[in-house]
Amino acid sequence: YKELECCYFMYKVTFSGIDGSGRSTTIDALSKRLSDMGLKVVHPHRPAFADLPGCDREYFYNMVNTAVDSTHRFLDNRNQRFLTGLLNMGYGWIHRAIERYAIRRYDPDVILVGRNLVLDSAVYCTYYFPVSRSLSPKERIRIASSTYQAKNPDIMLYMDVDPTIAYERILKRIEDEKKHGAKDRKKWTHMHENPEDLKFLRDGFEVTLEFLVQQNHARIVRVDASRPQNEVIDGIFSIIQNDII
């Protein structure tokens, strides 16, 4: 990869999409590629890590994220939908604290985030809090924006994938983790990781994204995540590379 002499601004990318769309795998590969270019990259989510040029990956906020993961798994496995939703809401604030810490500590050139606080909250609330389905996308976006006071990233990537393909990937991922062990965090099947609920969430993303596009809310790029993973990664890498060079 072409090595950059310097980066004069901080570039932020958020990834959205249903589980099984390949967000984590894509972020993992992109972070390594970008650090190989000489850029400092952080992922201030779960797991929180930094990839710095010439250094091994450094994880941070491990105790907090491990506690959140354990609680999430406990509630998930008991089908505690409402409480899991509350936990996810609370983690939105934790994520903001982690991101501020990462910026101060690493002064990153690129921030990659596996969720968009506004978009994902507006979609997933309809699953965890069914009463919110009576609200319009505009109202749900307004509430999420007001709750987290999150600024738009430089680019929002929506990883679009057929729910059937996503479900097959999820099952394969978990089986692979059982055989080889998780590299960064334990995986499990979330309560919504079934074909029916994945389709429901994907439909929610479509409706909400349509509203955001109409409002010119942010720069949004739809990615065909049903393609082979290497093609998806190469395509997104080209977009980011063109933006920051």
Side-chain angles (χ1 to χ4, degrees):
Y1 308 114
K2 180 179 178 181
E3 184 174 351
L4 302 182
E5 292 183 1
C6 62
C7 187
Y8 295 102
F9 61 95
M10 186 170 60
Y11 181 85
K12 182 175 179 178
V13 188
T14 61
F15 295 74
S16 294
I18 61 176
D19 295 76
S21 60
R23 289 174 289 107
S24 296
T25 302
T26 301
I27 288 172
D28 182 69
L30 287 173
S31 183
K32 292 175 181 176
R33 285 195 186 188
L34 291 167
S35 65
D36 285 345
M37 290 172 58
L39 299 174
K40 293 180 287 184
V41 185
V42 298
H43 176 252
H45 209 260
R46 306 199 317 267
F49 63 79
D51 279 333
L52 309 179
C55 300
D56 293 332
R57 175 168 291 179
E58 180 179 331
Y59 291 92
F60 53 95
Y61 263 75
N62 284 346
M63 291 183 62
V64 172
N65 283 332
T66 298
V68 171
D69 272 336
S70 297
T71 306
H72 201 297
R73 184 169 191 169
F74 177 85
L75 297 174
D76 232 349
N77 290 339
R78 287 158 182 78
N79 203 34
Q80 295 292 325
R81 187 179 298 198
F82 179 77
L83 293 179
T84 303
L86 290 180
L87 177 64
N88 289 341
M89 286 180 60
Y91 188 76
W93 289 103
I94 295 174
H95 160 69
R96 292 194 65 197
I98 295 175
E99 185 171 309
R100 287 193 293 268
Y101 167 83
I103 291 173
R104 289 196 304 270
R105 177 170 179 175
Y106 299 105
D107 188 24
D109 301 304
V110 181
I111 299 177
L112 304 176
V113 186
R115 289 290 185 191
N116 182 283
L117 278 179
V118 175
L119 172 58
D120 289 68
S121 297
V123 173
Y124 276 85
C125 72
T126 61
Y127 175 81
Y128 291 111
F129 312 114
V131 67
S132 66
R133 297 175 191 179
S134 63
L135 301 176
S136 68
K138 179 180 180 180
E139 291 171 316
R140 287 186 275 110
I141 287 292
R142 179 185 60 78
I143 292 172
S145 298
S146 176
T147 299
Y148 295 115
Q149 297 293 309
K151 296 181 180 179
N152 287 333
D154 293 281
I155 185 171
M156 293 171 58
L157 296 174
Y158 171 57
M159 309 283 284
D160 184 26
V161 64
D162 182 273
T164 302
I165 295 176
Y167 182 61
E168 291 172 353
R169 288 177 177 176
I170 291 167
L171 296 181
K172 183 178 184 302
R173 177 197 69 191
I174 293 175
E175 287 304 312
D176 288 343
E177 292 292 345
K178 288 179 181 178
K179 294 177 182 177
H180 305 294
K183 296 179 181 179
D184 44 46
R185 55 193 290 236
K186 293 181 179 179
K187 312 289 184 180
W188 68 91
T189 305
H190 296 268
M191 66 180 80
H192 60 261
E193 290 184 338
N194 58 77
E196 181 180 347
D197 287 331
L198 289 172
K199 182 181 183 304
F200 170 78
L201 290 168
R202 186 188 186 222
D203 291 343
F205 270 112
E206 292 293 338
V207 172
T208 310
L209 281 166
E210 182 180 357
F211 167 76
L212 293 178
V213 170
Q214 290 175 350
Q215 298 298 311
N216 195 27
H217 181 80
R219 183 185 174 201
I220 302 171
V221 174
R222 180 186 293 269
V223 177
D224 180 4
S226 295
R227 294 178 298 158
Q229 194 73 54
N230 62 311
E231 293 182 15
V232 173
I233 294 169
D234 289 343
I236 295 176
F237 178 74
S238 295
I239 294 173
I240 296 176
Q241 189 179 37
N242 288 337
D243 280 356
I244 63 180
I245 292 180

